[in-house]
Amino acid sequence: MAKAAAKFIVKRAKPGRIHAVLSTLGSEIARDLIPTGAALPPEPELEARFGVGRGVVREAIKTLAAKGLVSVGPRHGTRVLPRHDWSLLDRDVLNWLVGKGAPDRELLLEIQEVRSIIEPAAAALAADRATKSDRERINAALTAMETSHDQISAIAADKAFHLAILDATHNRVFQGFRGAIDTILSTVFLVAVGSSGWFDDNLPNHAAVARAIDEGSSRKARIAMDQVLGFTRSKLSKKKPASSRVSSGPRAAKPKIKRKQDVS
């Protein structure tokens, strides 16, 4: 009985160990501590570094490969791929890129460009397809935005508003962007919330989106969402660019890596 319980504990702990290895390596790759073209340390070194077994390391690397950060080959080892191969709308990848410091303004503006493609179209579909329950959820989020009194509640309400609109499309592909939009909104808030009048001045644009969806006007909903995103984009454009990716603590030492010329 005791052995079975111990085995159960180990099994439950393994996902946590995989996540720890994955998050550390993903963050180091995103911060260029392990640059494009470089090989990750061999499995035995990673096992020793993290104090885990081979299975944990392999699962973490398998996930990195699935997200497009690395390629795995029997001859060249595990190498970091160029950023254009990464799944940049993946929640984990976005979090690693943003980190805990000052986000890259250029990256944020590129993210806003993607939002400008996805969200106006989603608002237009929501205007055509939203159910009574969908519209109630969108308006409840708008009310929460209008009555928020602190940054935490404002972020939560704004996320709820945009995610409710994605869900109201009743399109599974649009709904697949929920994780990315959730992470993106947190990132945008990190930078733009300090701008004078940014949140309150954009509330009328959000209200116009909700009103257009209530009216069933896809054209108005698309235009109003364009205005929401255009306002945010203008605020981000005026922010001072981040000089570099800043960590919340002392800069981590670069892990030992092997570049192409070091590998036969």
Side-chain angles (χ1 to χ4, degrees), residues 112-132:
Q112 282 301 113
E113 287 180 351
V114 174
R115 290 185 68 196
S116 296
I117 296 169
I118 296 170
E119 294 196 66
L125 273 179
D128 287 336
R129 300 178 179 177
T131 63
K132 179 181 178 182

Side-chain angles (χ1 to χ4, degrees), residues 203-215:
L203 281 174
N205 294 326
H206 285 78
V209 174
R211 187 163 56 249
I213 292 173
D214 277 343
E215 294 172 358

Side-chain angles (χ1 to χ4, degrees), residues 30-63:
R31 293 162 59 200
D32 293 325
L33 295 179
I34 310 177
T36 299
L40 265 62
E43 286 181 358
E45 287 187 26
L46 292 174
E47 292 166 28
R49 177 187 175 188
F50 293 103
V52 297
R54 180 172 297 181
V56 170
V57 169
R58 288 185 173 178
E59 282 298 318
I61 290 174
K62 181 180 177 182
T63 304

Side-chain angles (χ1 to χ4, degrees), residues 30-31 83 93-112 151 183-194 236-237 239-248:
R31 293 162 59 200
R83 188 163 294 188
V93 177
L94 279 172
N95 276 323
W96 296 332
L97 283 167
V98 171
K100 296 181 180 179
D104 183 333
R105 185 181 66 166
E106 183 180 346
L107 172 63
L108 288 177
L109 290 173
E110 289 173 353
I111 286 171
Q112 282 301 113
Q151 184 174 335
T183 302
I184 286 167
L185 287 170
S186 294
T187 308
V188 169
F189 261 94
L190 258 168
V191 175
V193 78
L236 290 174
S237 298
K239 297 291 287 185
K240 292 181 180 180
S243 57
S244 63
R245 294 188 196 287
V246 182
S247 66
S248 58

Side-chain angles (χ1 to χ4, degrees), residues 196-251:
S196 177
W198 170 71
F199 186 77
D200 290 340
D201 291 349
N202 208 11
L203 281 174
N205 294 326
H206 285 78
V209 174
R211 187 163 56 249
I213 292 173
D214 277 343
E215 294 172 358
S217 174
S218 59
R219 183 183 67 84
K220 288 182 180 179
R222 182 186 293 271
I223 291 171
M225 185 60 82
D226 267 329
Q227 291 174 331
V228 168
L229 299 175
F231 188 95
T232 303
R233 186 167 56 248
S234 69
K235 289 292 184 181
L236 290 174
S237 298
K238 294 173 184 176
K239 297 291 287 185
K240 292 181 180 180
S243 57
S244 63
R245 294 188 196 287
V246 182
S247 66
S248 58
R251 184 176 177 80

Side-chain angles (χ1 to χ4, degrees), residues 18-32:
I18 294 171
H19 179 73
V21 176
L22 173 66
S23 297
T24 300
L25 293 177
S27 178
E28 289 175 352
I29 291 170
R31 293 162 59 200
D32 293 325

